[in-house]
Amino acid sequence: MPIPTRAAQLLATSCLSIALSFSQVHAQEKGAGASVETTAPAEAETSSPGAVSPAPAKSGAASDQTAASQAAAKTGSADLSTAGEWQTSMTLAEPSKYPPDFKHYDYVNPDAPKGGTLDQVAIGSYDSFNPFVVRGTPAAGLANFGGGLLYDTLMEQSTDEPSVTYAMIAEAVRFPEDDSFVTFRLNPNARFHDGEPITVEDVIWSFKTLKSLHPQWATYYKNVVKAEKTGEREVTFTFDQTGNRELPHIMGDLTVLPKHWWEGTGPDGKKRDISQPTMEPPLGSGPYEIGKFVTGQSIEWDRVKDYWAADIAPHKGRYNYDRIDYTYLRDTNAAWEAFKKGGLDDYRIENSSRRWAQEYNFPAFEKGEVKKATIPDHQVESMQAYVLNNRLPKFQDRRVREALTLAYNFEDMNKSLFFGLYERMSSYFDNSELASRGLPSERELKFLEPLKNEIPPEVFTQEFKLPVYTDNRSVRDNLRKALDLFKQAGYELKGTKLVDAKSGRQFSIEMLGNDPTDARTLQPYADSLKRLGIDATIRIVDTNQYIERLTNFDFELVGMKYYPQSMSPGNEQRDFWSSGAADSPGSRNYAGIKNPAIDALINDIVYAKDRDDLVAATRALDRVMLWEYYVVPQWYKPEMWLAYWDKFGMSGKRPGYSTIDPFAWWVKSAETTPQKDAAN
């Protein structure tokens, strides 16, 4: 379940202003998006795939499941007589705490006043209002996964509970026990901004179009073989397999686009082309629409006063700002100065420990006009790391990758740069029950033992431990171990240079960044590598070039925080780690992992028959990737640092899942302003 909430992506946009270089990942559904779709790293200053054929499942739990799935695959119409009862929500974990007829989330103020402006900063620029194609940089507020501010989806991810979705464009959903298809019944009140109803034809057209436009969509919906109208307001998606519990849920994430608008003609008299970038504001269906804009510099989003879903339970008391303004600035330092001054950026998720500890002493803060809050974060912490491009020959030897991990001194950086505020990242699913710990459990071994000849033997015999730097002796010991591994891999130390014993070429690494402040956390690691005789250099490029290079995997090492993980991982793992995604520009397999064992473990996750198997399979995947040393793990903090101008009204409660929900805030000045749209 990879696509969280619209609120979460608004946070991603806020974090963009302070965390771009370690955040180049694709945004989550229903968020505000950004000039570069991002998610926040723990320390800012450092910090599509085509259709992926699932690898043959080799582990015990998945092999029988996959065989049964293939045998039962449906390529014709679904047998609707096997469908279950209509329901208004779906869950992959615990049942929802809310009844089917709930009116609003517990943490919101259902009577929150509408009005005022939310000011936000984005970094870089934009050149398109079409986020669904690989070309172009979409404006803040748009998202290639999900609807951003502009569009609604069939179902909406809950901000208050993990792995729960609620009815949105679809008023109800049903699917059979074998998860071989899913049927959505559309809400008759669902409308686009021009008043046209959202139809089954729009849903089917959106599905087929999006799947053809971007490799990420092609991967996400690769197992959907048919979309058909099965009732006046019913659409059914049929799958080519059974037992994939997540498929009905991810179909609920589908962004529904207006077929009539995209197939019409624009102001220039030419037929619109959804396969190309555009600067014509598209017709939407969501809570906001594009207002004034200056291409690449700013964009205003205006609240839709007659928004059709304003009183639907997941939206009641939310989306209260009359306008959301994004101003683009050149870099993170400019964004920080803008926040201190006020008027351009109303809140920020702080990711610099130095700033958090030392720099909140500017006049507005001293006067109480700016507030700080430390909020526990219970979400999964996705991997933040120095990502190695394993497509390159020099990184394809596991001993080399392990040596590079040994050379990273987290403890010194945490003490000297981060005021001891961070914890070491030691899992791809840290801060959650999905993270592997100790030796494999019996249930994990069910997935690992069939792969015994294909994965590192240490998976079975040793607990994964990252190197620890405590004193000068540990520094020498870790670097000595790293050098020994390089020697085993065919390198030798000649003078002060680590060279390939055959070619005589010095081992080198170019570290890629997009902001001058990146050097703060890239340089210490580069210095450590230089002690091994490695030619480690830092290259800072502009934001657009940075995006282009990451999209096309044109880098050697880059610091980043991976796309957010959820408590119910599933089909999206193929896009993160699978062999099929490794060489597809635009995929999120940045490390270039091509490993049949990893592919098999991803299938184990996708076809997990229950929660216990899902957790065990995820831990098994985590173990293997850690022992393969595809990335050099960095750090995280199990809390959020929030700073905001004291202009907001808040209910005093927080969502149980998304940590904060800025869409549930309101502008205090609106409390005394007469409401012009009483319906909202």
Side-chain angles (χ1 to χ4, degrees):
M1 185 79 102
I3 298 179
T5 63
R6 190 181 259 140
Q9 234 176 24
L10 179 61
L11 297 185
T13 302
S14 173
C15 297
L16 172 67
S17 67
I18 50 178
L20 179 62
S21 60
F22 264 25
S23 313
Q24 175 53 34
V25 295
H26 295 276
Q28 308 165 57
E29 186 236 1
K30 293 298 189 184
S35 60
V36 183
E37 295 159 345
T38 68
T39 183
E43 183 73 15
E45 286 102 326
T46 61
S47 28
S48 247
V52 182
S53 299
K58 299 180 181 179
S59 58
S63 57
D64 293 340
Q65 176 69 60
T66 303
S69 298
Q70 292 171 345
K74 294 178 172 63
T75 56
S77 297
D79 181 3
L80 299 182
S81 66
T82 64
E85 297 295 324
W86 289 108
Q87 55 195 64
T88 58
S89 66
M90 294 189 288
T91 178
L92 282 170
E94 298 296 326
S96 172
K97 70 179 184 179
Y98 292 105
D101 60 347
F102 85 105
K103 303 303 182 184
H104 56 80
Y105 292 130
D106 291 342
Y107 69 86
V108 307
N109 172 8
D111 301 316
K114 309 293 183 181
T117 299
L118 172 66
D119 296 300
Q120 292 276 262
V121 160
I123 302 298
S125 65
Y126 70 91
D127 58 13
S128 177
F129 291 145
N130 182 0
F132 304 112
V133 293
V134 176
R135 289 183 56 212
T137 302
L142 298 164
N144 70 333
F145 269 110
L149 295 176
L150 187 60
Y151 303 105
D152 284 316
T153 50
L154 286 172
M155 305 284 285
E156 174 138 324
Q157 297 285 337
S158 173
T159 56
D160 206 24
E161 301 171 281
S163 306
V164 176
T165 61
Y166 295 110
M168 185 51 57
I169 290 175
E171 67 176 4
V173 60
R174 63 179 181 175
F175 47 92
E177 289 186 6
D178 66 357
D179 298 305
S180 57
F181 66 89
V182 62
T183 299
F184 297 96
R185 188 177 70 217
L186 303 191
N187 189 323
N189 298 318
R191 293 286 188 276
F192 292 108
H193 293 158
D194 63 354
E196 288 294 312
I198 299 177
T199 67
V200 169
E201 288 71 22
D202 291 311
V203 175
I204 295 173
W205 181 84
S206 298
F207 165 71
K208 293 180 178 178
T209 301
L210 291 175
K211 194 172 180 181
S212 70
L213 287 179
H214 199 290
Q216 289 179 3
W217 288 101
T219 297
Y220 199 48
Y221 296 130
K222 70 177 294 290
N223 296 117
V224 186
V225 295
K226 192 169 187 178
E228 59 184 327
K229 184 174 183 177
T230 52
E232 181 182 355
R233 291 186 287 113
E234 296 178 16
V235 58
T236 297
F237 298 96
T238 305
F239 311 136
D240 64 0
Q241 54 191 226
T242 60
N244 189 333
R245 297 172 59 242
E246 194 186 33
L247 281 176
H249 295 256
I250 68 174
M251 291 315 303
D253 295 331
L254 178 68
T255 305
V256 182
L257 307 175
K259 177 183 178 182
H260 68 282
W261 190 88
W262 282 105
E263 291 190 339
T265 56
D268 58 2
K270 297 180 180 179
K271 191 176 186 300
R272 297 184 179 99
D273 184 357
I274 196 172
S275 69
Q276 299 299 318
T278 182
M279 285 309 300
E280 179 188 0
L283 176 70
S285 61
Y288 290 88
E289 60 186 350
I290 296 173
K292 298 177 183 178
F293 64 92
V294 178
T295 304
Q297 299 180 38
S298 64
I299 180 173
E300 296 178 2
W301 289 87
D302 296 330
R303 185 169 61 86
V304 177
K305 301 298 176 65
D306 59 351
Y307 175 44
W308 74 272
D311 289 322
I312 288 182
H315 284 191
K316 184 69 174 177
R318 303 174 68 225
Y319 309 110
N320 302 312
Y321 313 112
D322 272 352
R323 201 171 73 190
I324 300 176
D325 287 357
Y326 289 100
T327 301
Y328 281 79
L329 299 178
R330 65 184 182 277
D331 56 37
T332 58
N333 279 334
W336 169 239
E337 294 302 322
F339 176 74
K340 291 193 297 182
K341 182 178 179 181
L344 289 181
D345 201 15
D346 291 335
Y347 81 91
R348 61 186 278 123
I349 308 303
E350 185 58 75
N351 292 297
S352 167
S353 55
R354 172 176 52 82
R355 285 199 184 111
W356 190 250
Q358 294 184 330
E359 297 186 24
Y360 278 82
N361 53 8
F362 49 93
F365 182 78
E366 298 291 347
K367 294 176 183 178
E369 296 171 348
V370 171
K371 306 289 187 180
K372 289 172 63 178
T374 299
I375 304 170
D377 188 350
H378 303 297
Q379 297 186 77
V380 181
E381 291 289 343
S382 57
M383 176 58 73
Q384 180 172 307
Y386 299 108
V387 177
L388 306 173
N389 189 343
N390 290 267
R391 302 168 187 84
L392 304 177
K394 62 184 170 184
F395 295 136
Q396 290 176 2
D397 190 314
R398 186 170 76 102
R399 293 168 296 189
V400 168
R401 302 194 299 267
E402 182 180 359
L404 294 173
T405 301
L406 281 165
Y408 173 52
N409 187 338
F410 163 73
E411 286 74 21
D412 184 63
M413 287 182 64
N414 193 31
K415 179 181 178 181
S416 61
L417 297 182
F418 308 148
F419 301 87
L421 295 175
Y422 292 142
E423 297 182 20
R424 185 72 191 270
M425 178 69 68
S426 59
S427 168
Y428 285 80
F429 305 88
D430 231 323
N431 199 43
S432 78
E433 66 171 340
L434 302 172
S436 58
R437 295 288 186 266
L439 294 177
S441 66
E442 182 177 348
R443 192 179 288 265
E444 290 175 62
L445 290 173
K446 178 175 63 173
F447 302 110
L448 293 169
E449 286 180 341
L451 305 170
K452 195 166 187 175
N453 295 328
E454 303 176 49
I455 60 181
E458 296 93 334
V459 168
F460 299 94
T461 60
Q462 298 180 38
E463 180 180 5
F464 182 81
K465 296 281 190 181
L466 289 165
V468 177
Y469 284 75
T470 56
D471 51 28
N472 290 335
R473 179 177 179 178
S474 64
V475 173
R476 292 191 298 270
D477 289 345
N478 284 319
L479 293 181
R480 185 182 301 112
K481 292 175 184 176
L483 187 57
D484 287 343
L485 286 167
F486 269 114
K487 289 179 178 178
Q488 294 173 33
Y491 293 88
E492 61 183 7
L493 199 59
K494 284 194 174 181
T496 59
K497 296 181 178 181
L498 183 69
V499 301
D500 186 304
K502 294 181 179 179
S503 68
R505 289 193 296 268
Q506 184 178 11
F507 192 94
S508 63
I509 297 178
E510 180 187 83
M511 300 178 171
L512 184 66
N514 81 307
D515 191 284
T517 60
D518 291 348
R520 181 171 180 256
T521 50
L522 291 175
Q523 192 63 58
Y525 185 38
D527 291 342
S528 184
L529 294 177
K530 289 176 182 178
R531 296 184 62 175
L532 291 172
I534 295 172
D535 179 19
T537 58
I538 298 171
R539 184 173 183 186
I540 305 298
V541 299
D542 65 68
T543 298
N544 290 339
Q545 184 179 353
Y546 180 82
I547 297 170
E548 182 71 17
R549 289 186 63 171
L550 260 66
T551 298
N552 293 289
F553 312 128
D554 180 19
F555 66 90
E556 294 189 349
L557 178 151
V558 63
M560 70 164 52
K561 185 176 178 67
Y562 270 93
Y563 183 88
Q565 295 280 8
S566 79
M567 288 297 293
S568 297
N571 293 265
E572 78 287 348
Q573 302 301 308
R574 291 169 174 162
D575 195 33
F576 296 165
W577 328 114
S578 77
S579 300
D583 294 324
S584 296
S587 87
R588 292 167 289 179
N589 188 349
Y590 297 106
I593 298 172
K594 297 181 184 178
N595 187 330
I598 296 295
D599 296 336
L601 290 168
I602 292 172
N603 271 355
D604 290 333
I605 291 172
V606 170
Y607 296 108
K609 70 181 189 304
D610 54 33
R611 179 70 186 177
D612 289 340
D613 268 2
L614 176 66
V615 172
T618 304
R619 290 175 179 173
L621 174 70
D622 188 35
R623 289 182 190 282
V624 175
M625 291 199 299
L626 288 171
W627 279 109
E628 288 285 2
Y629 295 100
Y630 292 122
V631 303
V632 180
Q634 294 176 333
W635 52 82
Y636 78 98
K637 53 183 174 63
E639 59 190 17
M640 176 182 287
W641 296 335
L642 171 67
Y644 59 95
W645 282 80
D646 190 19
K647 62 179 282 185
F648 299 108
M650 302 177 183
S651 70
K653 302 177 182 178
R654 291 193 296 268
Y657 178 57
S658 59
T659 308
I660 65 170
D661 178 7
F663 282 121
W665 304 345
W666 61 92
V667 177
K668 289 180 180 179
S669 60
E671 295 173 351
T672 57
T673 301
Q675 300 295 295
K676 297 181 180 180
D677 51 328
N680 287 354

